[in-house]
Each structure stands twice: as structure tokens, then as C-alpha cells.
Amino acid sequence: MALTAEKEALIWKTLNDTRGKIEPAEYKNYIFGVMFYKFLSEKAQEWLSLVLNGDTWINIWQQNSAKAAEFMQSKLGYVIQPGDMFSDWQEAINEDKFNIMMVSDALAHFDQGVRPDAREDFSGIFADMDLTSNRLGNNTQTRTATMMDWINLMDKIELDETADVLGDLYEYLIGMFAANSGAKAGEFYTPHQVSDVMARILTTGRENMESYSLYDPTMGSGSLLLTTASYLKNAGVRGSIKYYGQEWITTTFNLARMNLMMHGVEYNDIKLHNADTLNNDWPDGVVDGVDTPRMFDAVMANPPYSQKWDNKNREDDPRFKAGVAPKSKADFAFLLHCLYHLKQDGKMAIVLPHGVLFRGAAEARIRKNLLENHNISAVIGLPEKIFTNTGIPTIIMILEKNRAADDVLFIDASKGFEKQKNNNKLRPKDIDLIVETYLKRKDVDKYAHVATLDEIKENDYNLNIPRYVDTFEPEPEIDLVEVANELKKVEQQLGDNNAKLLKMINELTAKDDGTKKDLEQFREIMRGLNEDGK
């Protein structure tokens, strides 16, 4: 269910009406929190309707709360007590009995009722919802009114596991936040059309695998993981797809957990971690001095571009055997981390700035090692302004770990897009062309070129796309003879028009000498103009 223009307008109006002192980019912490709680609550109620056999949840709870909690935990991994359901909040609002403490108590109860083996997925997931903050209002009454507005708003948005509701809402809100506050609100979200290109390339030919493992070491909101999984036959089949991801920012880590579960991914198929990927190799890696990394069928990433990092004493890190990225630009550090965790027959896709294609020094050495090891399969140039948080053009680089061929496919997709208000967007036909060109792996005039390693060596291992794909469109040649003939025609026409005008003036009859004198002066002016024209 994509958001309609009507719902978008309703959402933005509600947020503005309840703004108070809160920063626009912080809205998502509350809005997504309320939305996710509604999702968990409705999921619990749906399950209860199937298993209670005419009894009520409150009756079961009153008989034996411990056993009732264990009963729900065994299926869902969490417990929502009677009176804490989202529908209970709505009912209290309708009866004018609602207080924000109902939400605070429900969230506390939820944290306490998470099943032990599900704590990694649920624990602290609502920690960003500070319900005592003065930014929601100066007192309990105003904070209660704010929360009521948000609950009523979420009541108008239907949740559907088969549609990217959270993704649609998130993409809409970050675009609005960025436009209205200047904040880098979009830096944790990969637009769906970019995710789509990466996902289709990663999964084509492997859609029917019975089991599949995905890893995103800079997962943001988890959109890349979800989009990639959506192209697999067993998407939605419990236990078939394992989702691994790491995210440094706790708020975004919480958002990713919500996002995956709201798309129907079971909690025991999710393995997400809140840490710095470059400083904390995960999952596994070197354990007790032994290099035992976990490998994945597909690795995808959209890391922060040219970020500073601590590159000291990294020479012995097995992830960076191809070289250590400079401290001022961690782009290749992220790339090498991804490649390290890729299976021998796996495939990875990563979004990077163009600088990785041609910068020198340490990055040039890494690039050379990757090319001579046949790791780089393709370089795809994207249009500028494709991301909410940056206008710079970016690339998608496709890599493999155990590739026999040494050529590299270059695709210049920078000119295929639809221009929107603040950003550019890949259209379905643009996405199809990129993917089809990648799969066919043949030259396309002014769009794609398969370069041999010898050709790349001649360019000193520089991968800048214009060196391989010539998109220059020459200006049409000017026929000087035709231009001269046209000028003669124009001059002739001017002369004819002036002659006609002078003839008309001569035919005028003047009644006095003053008028004749004025006419004679006018004739002289016109003759002068005629001579100048020639």
C-alpha cells in the first residue's frame, strides 16, 4: 500500500500540529514507535482470536498471568498484557479516559515480557520514545494531547505485511524533514529504486535457492535487506532466509528491527547488531586468534560516503588484506569488509562515491589488487541527486570473491531518470535497462562497455566511467553555404520592404511646407537605414 497524497497531507499536517519544541527529524522516533506498537498489538490480537476458543485474554491472564505470558511468548516472542493493546488506547481516547502514562506503562510491560531468546530483537526497541520529554509538551496534559494525536493518526494508516508501509512512510517523512529542516534525515535510507537495482542483480539466477543468507554491515533502516529478500522464492517462509545486519546509530538500529518485523520477518530469522562495523568485525571474524568469519550468499551496503575512520594498526586485520583505506576516506574499508564476509560463490553490491574509481595512493593500490584478483565485476554510474541527503552522483559496484573472468562491465546510467521537485528518480524502464545490460554483459553504444583487464591497465587501473563509456553527443555540423544563402534572402526581403515603405511615403500628399519637410527628413532616415542594412 503506497501512501496516497491524501494520507501524506494528513501525516504532515498532524506532525506540524503537534510539533511543539520537537525537531522535525525526531518525529520518526515517536511516529514509528507508535506504528510498530500498533503492528505488534494487532498481530497479538489476531493470534489470540485464533487460539482463545471463545475465552477472553483478560480472563486467561487473571487465572494465571505467568502461564498466559509464556503462552504468548512461545509464539510471538513477546507479551502484551490485557489493557495494553493499541485498541485499549483507542477505547480510552474515545471514552475520554486516556493518559500518556498508559503508553509509558505498556512499553515498560512490553520490555519486561520479552522472551529471553528474543531479547536481541525486541529489547530496548522503544527506548527512543521519551514520553517525559518537554518537547512533547510542558506538562502531562499537553503530552497526553500530543500522544492522542499520534495514536489517532496511526489509526488511519492500515498496516500490511505485504506492502512497504513503513518504508513508504519513512521515505516520505525523511524527504519532508530534509526539505523543511535542512537535516541529513535521509542518510540512513536507500531509495527503493536503487535497492531494486542491487537486489535484482544479486538474486537473478538464484531466486529458487531453498535457503539464503543476507548481510548488510551498514543497514540503516534495513531497506536493502528487505528488497533483496523480496526477489527470493522463499521470502516469508520461516527459517529460509536469514537476515544479518549491523548499524552504528542506536535509533536507526531500532528502526531496522521494526522495519524487518513489520514486513513479516520472524524474530528468530533476524540477527542484527548495534555497533561500529569497521571497529567491531561482526558477525564472527577473528575468535580467540582464529580467523573464522561468517560468510553470506549476498552482501549489500550503502555506507556513509568518504567517512573518517581509525586506520591505525589495521595491517594484520584479515579484512584488509588488499590494503588499508586512508583515515580520511573509509569507502574501501567498508567494501573490503563486505567482500571478506562473502561466500566463494556469493555476490555483493555496494553504493560508493565516484572517487573510489580514480583516487590515488592507498586507494589506487587497493583498486589494483581487487582488479588483479578479478573481484570487480561491474561499475554502474547512477544519476546525481538520487539520494535524499546528497546531490553528488554515486556508483553501484558489483563484486565477487571467486571470479574467473578479469573484465569489468561499465554502465553509464547517469542520464536515465525522472526529474522530481528536489531529487531525481530512476523509472522502471531505467531500472530494467541497467539490470538487463548487466545480465547481457555486452557493449551498448554510449551506455555500456565491457573492458578487458589489459584495457584497464592501459588506463593505470583508473576506473573512471568516461574513460570506458563515451557518451559525447557531437553538435550537428553547420552548413555555411546554406547560412549565407539564408542571409541573402533576409537582406533581399529587408530591401524590398524598405522600398515599399518609401513608395508609400512618396505617394502621400502634403498640405503644407512643414509636412513636406518632415516627410523629406523621414525619407533620408529610411534611406540611411536601408544602406546600413545592406
Side-chain angles (χ1 to χ4, degrees):
M1 179 206 73
L3 290 175
T4 63
E6 181 181 354
K7 285 189 176 179
E8 287 179 352
L10 173 65
I11 290 166
W12 193 246
K13 181 180 185 301
T14 303
L15 296 183
N16 278 314
D17 289 347
T18 58
R19 174 168 294 189
K21 298 179 181 178
I22 195 170
E23 289 296 323
E26 289 185 72
Y27 282 142
K28 66 180 184 297
N29 300 343
Y30 296 95
I31 289 299
F32 295 144
V34 174
M35 177 187 277
F36 185 56
Y37 193 87
K38 178 189 178 186
F39 167 79
L40 295 176
S41 179
E42 291 181 349
K43 186 175 182 179
Q45 287 183 310
E46 182 180 353
W47 177 72
L48 287 170
S49 68
L50 297 174
V51 300
L52 288 180
N53 295 320
D55 208 340
T56 64
W57 180 227
I58 190 169
N59 187 43
I60 296 292
W61 188 269
Q62 289 174 343
Q63 290 178 31
N64 190 328
S65 60
K67 192 171 182 179
E70 186 179 347
F71 179 53
M72 183 177 282
Q73 282 177 338
S74 65
K75 172 61 179 177
L76 304 180
Y78 62 88
V79 177
I80 297 184
Q81 299 183 17
D84 287 350
M85 296 289 182
F86 185 86
S87 58
D88 294 321
W89 298 349
Q90 293 173 289
E91 185 178 341
I93 290 173
N94 293 335
E95 295 176 357
D96 200 22
K97 296 178 180 179
F98 179 80
N99 187 288
I100 198 170
M101 290 305 298
M102 290 181 66
V103 178
S104 181
D105 291 343
L107 298 184
H109 295 158
F110 180 89
D111 266 350
Q112 295 163 7
V114 173
R115 181 172 166 168
D117 66 351
R119 291 203 174 278
E120 193 175 73
D121 298 298
F122 289 107
S123 182
I125 202 165
F126 297 108
D128 294 314
M129 293 179 64
D130 182 2
L131 302 181
T132 63
S133 172
N134 287 336
R135 289 172 295 192
L136 298 184
N138 293 324
N139 52 52
T140 301
Q141 184 178 358
T142 54
R143 289 195 288 273
T144 295
T146 298
M147 182 56 64
M148 286 170 59
D149 287 336
W150 288 344
I151 291 171
N152 288 331
L153 171 63
M154 287 302 109
D155 185 40
K156 294 179 175 67
I157 299 178
E158 297 177 9
L159 302 182
D160 180 358
E161 290 180 7
T162 63
D164 190 6
V165 181
L166 184 61
D168 286 343
L169 178 57
Y170 185 63
E171 189 167 11
Y172 167 70
L173 289 180
I174 60 176
M176 294 298 288
F177 293 156
N180 286 270
S181 69
K184 291 184 178 180
E187 62 185 320
F188 309 120
Y189 186 83
T190 304
H192 185 75
Q193 67 268 20
V194 177
S195 300
D196 213 32
V197 171
M198 299 169 74
R200 288 173 62 179
I201 288 174
L202 290 174
T203 59
T204 296
R206 313 180 82 193
E207 304 94 327
N208 295 323
M209 290 175 61
E210 293 299 320
S211 61
Y212 208 86
S213 57
L214 306 173
Y215 177 46
D216 184 345
T218 58
M219 67 181 174
S221 65
S223 60
L224 272 172
L225 289 168
L226 288 166
T227 305
T228 304
S230 70
Y231 283 95
L232 299 171
K233 180 188 72 172
N234 286 332
V237 177
R238 187 170 185 172
S240 293
I241 303 174
K242 297 296 182 183
Y243 300 76
Y244 284 78
Q246 183 158 250
E247 172 56 45
W248 185 16
I249 307 299
T250 302
T251 297
T252 316
F253 165 70
N254 289 337
L255 179 61
R257 292 192 287 172
M258 295 180 192
N259 203 4
L260 264 64
M261 283 186 272
M262 285 186 66
H263 281 79
V265 181
E266 296 292 338
Y267 73 88
N268 42 13
D269 287 334
I270 299 173
K271 303 292 181 183
L272 307 183
H273 198 227
N274 182 200
D276 183 335
T277 286
L278 298 183
N279 288 331
N280 299 277
D281 185 19
W282 180 89
D284 304 325
V286 178
V287 180
D288 297 329
V290 180
D291 185 17
T292 55
R294 185 166 303 205
M295 305 300 187
F296 302 94
D297 293 301
V299 181
M300 66 292 301
N302 178 19
Y305 309 142
S306 301
Q307 179 176 277
K308 293 181 180 179
W309 74 301
D310 181 6
N311 71 343
K312 292 181 181 178
N313 303 317
R314 300 286 186 173
E315 291 76 14
D316 295 329
D317 191 321
R319 294 176 293 172
F320 308 126
K321 288 180 179 178
V324 178
K327 65 179 181 180
S328 60
K329 296 177 179 66
D331 303 311
F332 269 118
F334 285 113
L335 183 152
L336 293 174
H337 172 91
C338 291
L339 189 62
Y340 172 73
H341 285 286
L342 188 66
K343 285 184 178 180
Q344 290 296 319
D345 61 346
K347 189 176 290 184
M348 67 167 275
I350 184 170
V351 182
L352 295 167
H354 276 254
V356 300
L357 302 177
F358 53 80
R359 291 193 296 243
E363 292 181 297
R365 292 190 291 273
I366 294 172
R367 194 165 55 244
K368 178 181 178 181
N369 288 334
L370 291 171
L371 287 163
E372 292 190 340
N373 200 38
H374 307 172
N375 293 133
I376 300 177
S377 172
V379 176
I380 303 167
L382 297 174
E384 62 180 2
K385 297 182 181 179
I386 206 79
F387 292 93
T388 303
N389 62 311
T390 178
I392 67 169
T394 53
I395 64 157
I396 297 173
M397 189 178 288
I398 310 298
L399 297 98
E400 298 174 37
K401 205 166 195 176
N402 189 26
R403 185 168 168 264
D406 65 2
D407 57 14
V408 176
L409 171 64
F410 291 88
I411 298 176
D412 187 345
S414 62
K415 295 178 176 61
F417 61 87
E418 177 183 62
K419 188 171 182 59
Q420 297 189 326
K421 184 177 180 181
N422 297 315
N423 290 91
N424 296 323
K425 182 177 181 179
L426 293 173
R427 298 160 296 189
K429 67 177 183 179
D430 302 319
I431 295 171
D432 289 342
L433 181 58
I434 293 171
V435 176
E436 290 167 7
T437 302
Y438 173 82
L439 295 175
K440 291 178 181 177
R441 207 171 181 84
K442 293 182 179 179
D443 283 14
V444 179
D445 187 40
K446 300 188 183 303
Y447 187 76
H449 174 61
V450 181
T452 65
L453 183 58
D454 287 338
E455 188 178 350
I456 294 170
K457 285 180 179 178
E458 288 177 7
N459 281 296
D460 198 24
Y461 298 95
N462 187 313
L463 299 180
N464 202 18
I465 297 174
R467 289 181 177 241
Y468 305 94
V469 183
D470 182 9
T471 60
F472 177 72
E473 294 285 353
E475 293 289 334
E477 292 186 7
I478 298 174
D479 188 336
L480 295 179
V481 174
E482 185 178 347
V483 172
N485 290 335
E486 286 296 324
L487 285 173
K488 285 182 181 179
K489 290 180 182 178
V490 171
E491 289 175 354
Q492 181 64 44
Q493 188 67 45
L494 283 172
D496 291 345
N497 289 340
N498 287 338
K500 289 178 181 178
L501 182 60
L502 287 170
K503 183 180 178 181
M504 291 171 63
I505 294 172
N506 286 328
E507 291 174 351
L508 291 173
T509 302
K511 293 183 178 180
D512 55 61
D513 292 340
T515 302
K516 290 179 179 179
K517 187 176 180 180
D518 290 340
L519 285 171
E520 189 59 38
Q521 288 178 346
F522 186 71
R523 288 191 190 100
E524 289 298 324
I525 292 171
M526 291 305 299
R527 290 191 189 98
L529 288 173
N530 193 31
E531 291 296 325
D532 290 342
K534 293 179 180 178

